[in-house]
Amino acid sequence: GDSVTQMEGPVTLSEEAFLTINCTYTATGYPSLFWYVQYPGEGLQLLLKATKADDKGSNKGFEATYRKETTSFHLEKGSVQVSDSAVYFCALRTLSGNTPLVFGKGTRLSVIA
Amino acid sequence: GAVVSQHPSWVICKSGTSVKIECRSLDFQATTMFWYRQFPKQSLMLMATSNEGSKATYEQGVEKDKFLINHASLTLSTLTVTSAHPEDSSFYICLARGGGGQGANSPLHFGNGTRLTVT
């Protein structure tokens, strides 16, 4: 079945450091790919998405490129801030029947000043 | 944009009691509602899928008699945790599909989640 694998955390970075969170997927067909963010005590928010190969999703300084050849959707940010501390989930969605979002296990990011 | 209102945002209940969680789509029709559960520091696990007017489909290992799902209208779905026990303490979140597109192409919208603590 469809699955998402993302790097395990926690990840601790200093402010202004470069961030990469790896995400790879397995899916039949051509999924849409997403990154969601969950701040402490809150629900999930869509951070960015890409719906086809070579698309780049971007938001709030975060970017991820849909790489079909490597089945990857790595999240990057050039300079993290303390306010970016959260849990980040990679997810995929295929358009077959009732298929909902399939999530990775999440990566906790802590940014220290 | 489309909004899903989930209530309550947190609840503490005694063991043996039942708790009802509601998700309402405020400005669109949610043809399908997915219910997820998230244990502390873990990912979201799909519990069940419900289509308006139909019985919910439960994932393997989820007790349908314990987690009652009702999706009686296109704007309201409820999850009732019956005879709750401490091990049911978790973060429950709904995901609504609807508000544009057709079928599986319709957008997805999360509720803000409900943190349940059973004492």
Side-chain angles (χ1 to χ4, degrees):
Chain A
D2 298 343
S3 66
V4 174
T5 303
Q6 62 182 103
M7 63 185 289
E8 294 200 17
V11 175
T12 303
L13 296 174
S14 297
E15 209 166 20
E16 299 183 2
F18 184 86
L19 168 71
T20 299
I21 301 177
N22 290 337
C23 171
T24 57
Y25 67 89
T26 302
T28 53
Y30 303 96
S32 295
L33 302 173
F34 305 82
W35 277 99
Y36 283 86
V37 58
Q38 185 177 34
Y39 297 102
E42 297 184 14
L44 272 73
Q45 301 176 27
L46 177 63
L47 181 60
L48 54 85
K49 68 177 182 181
T51 57
K52 61 182 187 297
D54 300 325
D55 270 2
K56 176 186 284 188
S58 61
N59 186 25
K60 300 180 181 179
F62 290 89
E63 292 183 343
T65 301
Y66 189 143
R67 300 289 188 197
K68 184 180 176 183
E69 64 275 14
T70 55
T71 62
S72 65
F73 193 54
H74 304 321
L75 182 68
E76 297 182 335
K77 186 174 185 181
S79 176
V80 294
Q81 305 300 313
V82 172
S83 57
D84 293 326
S85 298
V87 180
Y88 293 82
F89 292 93
C90 186
L92 69 81
R93 178 187 185 190
T94 56
L95 300 180
S96 56
N98 256 346
T99 308
L101 288 169
V102 176
F103 289 90
K105 291 187 175 182
T107 302
R108 183 175 300 277
L109 170 66
S110 295
V111 181
I112 55 178
Chain B
V3 174
V4 175
S5 176
Q6 182 170 347
H7 291 282
S9 56
W10 61 270
V11 58
I12 301 173
C13 71
K14 292 185 177 180
S15 187
T17 61
S18 295
V19 174
K20 179 183 283 189
I21 301 169
E22 290 189 353
C23 276
R24 291 181 184 273
S25 55
L26 299 185
D27 50 2
F28 69 98
Q29 293 183 330
T31 52
T32 304
M33 190 72 76
F34 305 100
W35 287 94
Y36 286 84
R37 179 177 184 176
Q38 183 185 29
F39 289 105
K41 299 185 179 181
Q42 295 190 28
S43 189
L44 287 82
M45 302 302 295
L46 180 66
M47 299 176 65
T49 301
S50 72
N51 294 302
E52 183 265 338
S54 302
K55 288 184 177 180
T57 302
Y58 290 81
E59 296 299 301
Q60 191 172 10
V62 178
E63 299 175 58
K64 63 180 181 180
D65 294 330
K66 181 169 186 60
F67 299 99
L68 301 179
I69 291 172
N70 185 286
H71 193 171
S73 78
L74 287 171
T75 58
L76 174 64
S77 179
T78 61
L79 166 66
T80 301
V81 183
T82 62
S83 187
H85 289 96
E87 57 265 32
D88 299 324
S89 299
S90 190
F91 187 69
Y92 295 87
I93 191 165
C94 63
L95 175 64
R97 183 168 70 191
Q102 289 186 345
N105 278 314
S106 296
L108 300 171
H109 314 281
F110 275 106
N112 279 335
T114 298
R115 186 162 304 283
L116 169 64
T117 302
V118 184
T119 61

